Structures are given as structure tokens and as C-alpha cells.
């Protein structure tokens, strides 16, 4: 980072990311991770802790950016992060929704929508990979993550079972 203060650096980084996050904060987890950890603002462990808190907190996934902002620059960082992630993406989503209705049968719109669906799958997998690397530091952790992924995708098992198994493994000191 440069000699600027953390709030300025955070504001610039989130301003850039917010235009990529039309699908919500989870769509840019790889970039949020890079921004937060590579900049030295926090460790992998702290990032995964904030992600976990954001996931169990009621409300939109943008809470992750709010928590990162709070950690980096206090109350002002939390407010700036939340506003910058909500306002530009909300405005873009409104514009895109009106255009989508207007051009509902357009071949270009359909092609873009299909391309974005494939991109979304890739971003979700990249996010899972980054979060797994930031949190799983043992063979048990990797096995539990793999079992959870297979169980949910192939067997359609409820994620609650894997949350309970993860909690039990954590309580027993296995992960």
C-alpha cells in the first residue's frame, strides 16, 4: 500500500470492486480476498473469520464488505464499504432489469445471460477454492470440505449435517 491512510485505500479498492459485484459481494470474494490479504490489512484466517460471521448474520452478503471495512478503517470504513457496494450495483441492476425486459427476445441479451450464468459458476468455484485454502489447514479439514461438497452436490444432503460435523470436528480439535 502507499502512504495513504487505510480508509482512502479501502475506498479506492471497494470503488473498483463494486462495479464487478452486480451479483452481490459473494461474486467478488476472490478479489475481496486478494484486496484484504495481499494488501496486508488482514490474514487469511481473519478473512475467513469475517466471511463466516457474514454468512451467519441475517441480511445480504454485502455484510462481508461491511465487516472488512470495519476491520480496516472502523465505523467510517464499514459505512463507506456498504454504500459503495450497494449504490453502484443497485443502480446497475435497475438499469439492467429495465433493459432485460425491453430486449427480452434479443439474441444478444440471451447470449449475454447464458455467458454470465457460466461465469457465475466459475466465480462461485473460485470463491470456494480461496475460502477452502484460507480455512482448511489439515487433512481432516480438506476431507470434510470434500465430503460436504460431494454430499450436497451428488446426494443432495442438507448442509446442516456438514455444519454439525464440522462443529464436532472443531470441538474435538480435529480441524
Amino acid at each position: 500500500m502507499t502512504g495513504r491512510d487505510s480508509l482512502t485505500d479501502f475506498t479506492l479498492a471497494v470503488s473498483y470492486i463494486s462495479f464487478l459485484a452486480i451479483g452481490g459481494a459473494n461474486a467478488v470474494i476472490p478479489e475481496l480476498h486478494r484486496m484484504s490479504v495481499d494488501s496486508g490489512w488482514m490474514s487469511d484466517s481473519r478473512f475467513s473469520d469475517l466471511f463466516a460471521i457474514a454468512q451467519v448474520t441475517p441480511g445480504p452478503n454485502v455484510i462481508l464488505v461491511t465487516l472488512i471495512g470495519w476491520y480496516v478503517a472502523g465505523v467510517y470504513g464499514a459505512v463507506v464499504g456498504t454504500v459503495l457496494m450497494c449504490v453502484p450495483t443497485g443502480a446497475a441492476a435497475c438499469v439492467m432489469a429495465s433493459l432485460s425486459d425491453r430486449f427480452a427476445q434479443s439474441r444478444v441479451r440471451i447470449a449475454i445471460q447464458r455467458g454470465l450464468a457460466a461465469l457465475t459458476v466459475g466465480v462461485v468455484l473460485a470463491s470456494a477454492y480461496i475460502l477452502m485454502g484460507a480455512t482448511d489447514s489439515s487433512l481432516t479439514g480438506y476431507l470434510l470440505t470434500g465430503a460436504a461438497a460431494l454430499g450436497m452436490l451428488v446426494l443432495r444432503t442438507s448442509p446442516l449435517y456438514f455444519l454439525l460435523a464440522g462443529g464436532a470436528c472443531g470441538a474435538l480439535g480435529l480441524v
Side-chain angles (χ1 to χ4, degrees):
M1 287 275 118
T2 64
R4 295 185 303 247
D5 66 288
S6 296
L7 180 59
T8 302
D9 290 333
F10 178 73
T11 300
L12 292 172
V14 175
S15 295
Y16 158 71
I17 292 172
S18 70
F19 287 102
L20 304 174
I22 292 176
N26 281 350
V28 291
I29 286 174
E31 186 60 19
L32 286 171
H33 178 269
R34 187 201 63 74
M35 171 190 82
S36 301
V37 175
D38 292 353
S39 69
W41 289 336
M42 65 187 66
S43 65
D44 269 337
S45 176
R46 176 66 63 190
F47 182 85
S48 61
D49 289 346
L50 294 178
F51 177 79
I53 292 168
Q55 293 305 299
V56 299
T57 305
N61 290 330
V62 74
I63 291 172
L64 175 60
V65 178
T66 305
L67 292 173
I68 293 170
W70 182 282
Y71 187 81
V72 171
V75 174
Y76 293 118
V79 171
V80 165
T82 304
V83 168
L84 286 175
M85 284 300 287
C86 292
V87 173
T89 57
C94 287
V95 169
M96 294 308 288
S98 69
L99 289 176
S100 181
D101 289 343
R102 186 173 170 194
F103 298 104
Q105 301 304 317
S106 169
R107 295 165 92 190
V108 173
R109 190 208 55 87
I110 293 169
I112 290 171
Q113 185 174 350
R114 288 181 180 161
L116 287 175
L119 178 66
T120 301
V121 171
V123 168
V124 168
L125 290 175
S127 298
Y129 177 77
I130 285 172
L131 290 169
M132 187 177 79
T135 57
D136 293 342
S137 58
S138 67
L139 178 60
T140 305
Y142 287 118
L143 291 174
L144 184 62
T145 301
L150 285 174
M152 287 185 290
L153 291 172
V154 176
L155 303 174
R156 302 285 187 214
T157 305
S158 170
L160 292 176
Y161 295 118
F162 297 106
L163 287 171
L164 289 172
C169 288
L172 295 172
L174 300 174
V175 291

